Amino acid sequence: SNVEIARLLVPAGTVVEYALAPQPPIRQHLYMLAGQLTFSIGGEATVLTPGDCLFAVIDRPTRFEIHLGAP
């Protein structure tokens, strides 16, 4: 399978929203190294902190909201 790994440094207060889901849906793994993130998919929110991991099938609108930056 094709795998893409990206390390993102995102400032606190950043919000990224995708109103439309990709077609076809994609699978995404999130692993938090630092900070705090609220990840929402289809209106269901999950808060991630360092060491947390989340797998999602991106088939609905999504939102990424960064609360705390890296130390």
Side-chain angles (χ1 to χ4, degrees):
S1 68
N2 294 330
V3 175
E4 180 178 318
I5 297 174
R7 181 176 181 182
L8 305 174
L9 299 175
V10 184
T14 299
V15 175
V16 178
E17 292 188 73
Y18 296 98
L20 301 174
Q23 293 298 321
I26 61 171
R27 296 168 185 245
Q28 189 167 58
H29 295 265
L30 300 173
Y31 179 74
M32 290 296 295
L33 297 173
Q36 183 178 341
L37 164 73
T38 298
F39 171 74
S40 300
I41 181 165
E44 297 178 36
T46 300
V47 176
L48 299 157
T49 57
D52 289 342
C53 183
L54 179 108
F55 169 78
V57 175
I58 309 300
D59 59 355
R60 294 168 282 164
T62 55
R63 175 182 167 97
F64 299 83
E65 184 175 347
I66 309 303
H67 300 287
L68 301 171

